[in-house]
């Protein structure tokens, strides 16, 4: 089984969107072949290989912008220094507690375990800086709700649409529910399928 990095998946998704946009014509840009009276597609729109084979500056910029929006750190892989540098007023004792319960399978597990040491408001404050990786086919509703724009109703719809065979399929379903921008931000929160 070949596993691609999240950056590669996001770049592929961006390239696919660019190719789709290039193939979309508007009435103003469509022309007709006088001999057959059928619409013809401008040459630039038919050259899909340029949009998918060679990353354009726009695709690279989009990939970078997506990566830049991933400001939270993964609870299952965060280092001591990442936790101390990212979470305000965080102690070495809490680093040990965070790392003791790895791997976190759900945000509920994180809340339950860390809630043994601090109150609910403090746990909620920590969640502004960290996340449990979202497994498109296994995560519970609360874990899915870490994704921007996902509420209980949308989480239930995503769970009902399972199984997802690829990360791209999940992002497409997510995009239909929360919009492209939120779906792109979600890419960095996902565990590989």
């Amino acid at each position: 089984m070949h596993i691609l990095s999240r950056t590669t998946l996001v770049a592929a998704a961006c390239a696919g969107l660019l190719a789709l946009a290039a193939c979309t014509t508007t009435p103003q840009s469509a022309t007709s072949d006088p001999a057959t009276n059928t619409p013809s597609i401008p040459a630039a729109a038919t050259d899909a290989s340029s949009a998918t084979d060679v990353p354009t500056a726009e695709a690279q910029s989009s990939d970078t912008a997506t990566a830049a929006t991933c400001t939270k750190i993964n609870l299952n892989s965060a280092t001591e220094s990442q936790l101390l540098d990212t979470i305000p007023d965080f102690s070495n004792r809490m680093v040990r507690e965070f790392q003791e319960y790895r791997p976190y399978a759900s945000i509920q597990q994180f809340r339950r375990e860390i809630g043994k040491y601090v109150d609910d408001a403090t746990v909620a404050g920590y969640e502004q800086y960290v996340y449990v990786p979202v497994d498109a086919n296994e995560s519970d509703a609360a874990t899915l709700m870490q994704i921007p724009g996902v509420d209980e109703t949308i989480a239930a719809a995503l769970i009902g649409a399972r199984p997802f065979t690829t990360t791209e399929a999940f992002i497409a379903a997510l995009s239909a529910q929360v919009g492209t921008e939120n779906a792109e931000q979600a890419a960095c929160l996902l565990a590989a399928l």
Side-chain angles (χ1 to χ4, degrees):
M1 175 181 213
H2 182 70
I3 299 175
L4 301 174
S5 71
R6 288 186 187 116
T7 303
T8 303
L9 292 172
V10 171
C14 290
L17 289 173
L18 287 173
L20 179 62
C23 291
T24 304
T25 59
T26 61
Q28 293 83 6
S29 65
T31 59
S32 294
D33 180 351
T36 63
N37 198 29
T38 57
S40 63
I41 299 172
T46 60
D47 187 11
S49 65
S50 65
T52 57
D53 293 342
V54 180
T56 63
E58 185 177 317
Q60 291 171 346
S61 172
S62 175
D63 188 34
T64 303
T66 299
T69 64
C70 297
T71 57
K72 292 185 175 185
I73 55 176
N74 183 333
L75 276 166
N76 290 336
S77 63
T79 65
E80 177 180 353
S81 63
Q82 284 177 314
L83 291 168
L84 289 169
D85 293 344
T86 303
I87 304 171
D89 303 319
F90 202 65
S91 68
N92 286 324
R93 175 180 176 252
M94 288 311 296
V95 168
R96 286 189 302 276
E97 302 307 339
F98 270 46
Q99 294 177 339
E100 177 182 351
Y101 297 103
R102 288 179 176 173
Y104 293 97
S106 73
I107 197 67
Q108 300 278 38
Q109 177 194 2
F110 169 74
R111 291 171 182 161
R112 184 175 54 251
E113 300 298 354
I114 300 307
K116 295 175 185 176
Y117 306 100
V118 295
D119 62 25
D120 291 347
T122 302
V123 174
Y126 292 155
E127 288 183 43
Q128 294 178 37
Y129 303 97
V130 298
Y131 70 95
V132 172
V134 175
D135 183 316
N137 290 321
E138 299 294 328
S139 289
D140 61 16
T143 304
L144 288 169
M145 288 167 52
Q146 295 176 110
I147 298 171
V150 175
D151 60 15
E152 290 179 15
T153 303
I154 293 171
L158 292 169
I159 290 169
R162 290 173 175 168
F164 296 99
T165 56
T166 64
T167 300
E168 292 83 3
F170 176 75
I171 291 176
L174 179 63
S175 181
Q177 296 284 339
V178 300
T180 304
E181 186 177 333
N182 284 336
E184 287 174 356
Q185 289 178 18
C188 66
L189 304 177
L190 301 178
L193 284 181

